[in-house]
Amino acid sequence: MITKKKTSLDICFGLECNLNCDQCCMGGLLNKGTKIDYRAIVNYIERHPEINEIYLSGGELLCDFEEYLLFLLKRFPERKWKCTTNLAYRLTPIRIEILKRITCVQVSFDIGSVRFHNIKTLLIWYHNLKTLLSFKQNVDIGVCLTKQVINKGPEAFHEFFTKLHDKFGLAAYSFLIMSKCGNLKKNYNTLMPNKKEVTKFLKDMLNIENVMEFNDTVNNIANGSLYSCYFVTTLNVMRNDGELCNCIFEQYNDKPCVVSDKCLSCDYYNHCGGICDNDCKKCYFDKSVYNKALSVIKKYNEANTK
């Protein structure tokens, strides 16, 4: 049997964060005070030269261990590095250097008190985003689909992000379906929209003129990554102790995180990629939204090949 080599790695540092977002899938699970096994992480990357893409997740990466992150980025400059950050902190010189060396940066964003809790934090985020975009091109924004976001509607976000795109060079934005872990477990009823609400939001989004220009959600619907459990479909996941696992939430659940049998037998499994048995993520797949996304992509490609 020929085994395909795994070429991507997700390292979950998972230590701490400067925020305590109501919808955070890691909230309450962050291992504050635990030590990262730096040597184990470096040794693993060195032993696997086939790994060409490394995603750094947390917690907030730029919260506690900037010097090691910079060392890691300098040690493996040939790898493609990705991360998500909340940007709600002071942009020190070392943090700026780290962000410059990371290939792709996703910035998290929400409305109301879900993430920022006060106007001061929001202003810090906006100022830092402008600074980040002044020296980096490959920056996108991710927005969790909370009830508050659903109620606001996709047009308002598209208008706001279009201004950031036109004025400062924002590369893209996308909407994300949340996982029922961490803080979201206790805030589930107040924050998590139902499938009908998500479906309507996505259909309204797909009706926006030129939605394909820099909204990655359309492609994420088509390739299944919007609906599937991220950690189930990631090729390699590593905890901060250097040990591999199927999912960062596996140590908090009673059973391993693997794709559910119900998903595997579903007619739409190939369209969405499936979710795990631990109920971390509800199934929000809708065939009509999927078909609409394919139609939007087809029209966009036809218009841009003429």
Side-chain angles (χ1 to χ4, degrees):
M1 182 179 70
I2 299 175
T3 302
K4 184 178 179 180
K5 286 190 175 181
K6 300 175 180 179
T7 59
S8 67
L9 174 68
D10 186 303
I11 306 174
C12 181
F13 286 98
L15 284 184
E16 49 187 90
C17 186
N18 53 322
L19 299 180
N20 186 28
C21 303
D22 296 339
Q23 88 292 11
C24 179
C25 63
M26 289 298 294
L29 304 181
L30 300 178
N31 301 318
K32 295 185 178 181
T34 59
K35 294 182 179 180
I36 300 175
D37 193 334
Y38 302 130
R39 185 177 296 277
I41 294 172
V42 170
N43 287 345
Y44 183 85
I45 298 174
E46 287 179 339
R47 293 198 314 270
H48 295 274
E50 72 277 7
I51 291 177
N52 54 35
E53 183 175 277
I54 302 174
Y55 183 81
L56 303 169
S57 58
E60 172 53 56
L61 287 175
L62 300 178
C63 189
D64 189 38
F65 37 91
E66 293 97 326
E67 290 185 2
Y68 175 69
L69 279 176
L70 188 55
F71 161 76
L72 200 60
L73 293 166
K74 288 181 177 180
R75 176 64 182 80
F76 302 102
E78 72 284 0
R79 305 302 208 275
K80 181 178 182 180
W81 296 88
K82 296 182 177 182
C83 81
T84 298
T85 180
N86 60 50
L87 277 187
Y89 44 74
R90 190 165 66 91
L91 272 182
T92 60
I94 189 171
R95 288 171 175 169
I96 289 175
E97 186 173 358
I98 289 169
L99 290 170
K100 284 182 177 180
R101 290 176 178 273
I102 292 177
T103 317
C104 304
V105 177
Q106 183 176 78
V107 179
S108 49
F109 177 78
D110 286 286
I111 60 174
S113 62
V114 174
R115 178 178 302 274
F116 298 111
H117 295 288
N118 58 66
I119 190 66
K120 181 180 178 181
T121 308
L122 176 58
L123 291 175
I124 291 172
W125 177 91
Y126 186 70
H127 170 77
N128 287 345
L129 178 66
K130 290 194 297 181
T131 303
L132 179 63
L133 291 171
S134 71
F135 63 77
K136 195 166 194 66
Q137 292 182 331
N138 205 348
V139 177
D140 69 279
I141 291 177
V143 184
C144 290
L145 282 176
T146 61
K147 285 186 177 181
Q148 290 81 351
V149 168
I150 293 286
N151 292 336
K152 193 76 174 177
E155 296 86 357
F157 290 95
H158 187 75
E159 182 180 352
F160 175 55
F161 296 138
T162 296
K163 291 179 180 178
L164 293 177
H165 170 74
D166 294 343
K167 192 171 182 179
F168 303 115
L170 177 71
Y173 75 93
S174 60
F175 296 107
L176 314 169
I177 294 178
M178 301 178 290
S179 296
K180 190 179 178 181
C181 300
N183 286 347
L184 186 61
K185 272 192 172 181
K186 60 184 179 183
N187 298 311
Y188 192 80
N189 292 333
T190 57
L191 292 180
M192 194 70 184
N194 58 42
K195 183 174 180 176
K196 183 178 179 181
E197 292 169 328
V198 171
T199 298
K200 182 182 183 306
F201 181 94
L202 294 176
K203 285 183 176 179
D204 290 344
M205 180 201 74
L206 291 168
N207 286 328
I208 296 175
E209 187 177 359
N210 299 323
V211 68
M212 274 291 293
E213 290 295 337
F214 59 101
N215 185 341
D216 285 344
T217 318
V218 186
N219 284 320
N220 293 343
I221 293 171
N223 64 31
S225 60
L226 175 68
Y227 300 105
S228 63
C229 177
Y230 170 75
F231 290 105
V232 164
T233 56
T234 298
L235 290 176
N236 291 292
V237 181
M238 178 183 286
R239 300 197 304 260
N240 56 21
D241 60 2
E243 293 294 324
L244 295 182
C245 59
N246 287 335
C247 171
I248 60 168
F249 302 118
E250 203 167 58
Q251 59 186 311
Y252 305 104
N253 296 318
D254 295 329
K255 52 185 177 180
C257 292
V258 294
V259 176
S260 126
D261 289 339
K262 186 176 180 180
C263 289
L264 293 173
S265 61
C266 177
D267 291 338
Y268 301 138
Y269 172 67
N270 289 331
H271 300 319
C272 77
I275 54 179
C276 75
D277 271 325
N278 283 312
D279 198 29
C280 291
K281 196 168 189 176
K282 293 286 187 180
C283 179
Y284 280 82
F285 180 83
D286 183 272
K287 188 68 178 343
S288 63
V289 172
Y290 175 79
N291 289 338
K292 177 67 175 177
L294 294 183
S295 175
V296 169
I297 293 171
K298 182 180 179 181
K299 290 179 181 178
Y300 177 81
N301 289 336
E302 289 174 348
N304 286 275
T305 53
K306 292 180 180 179

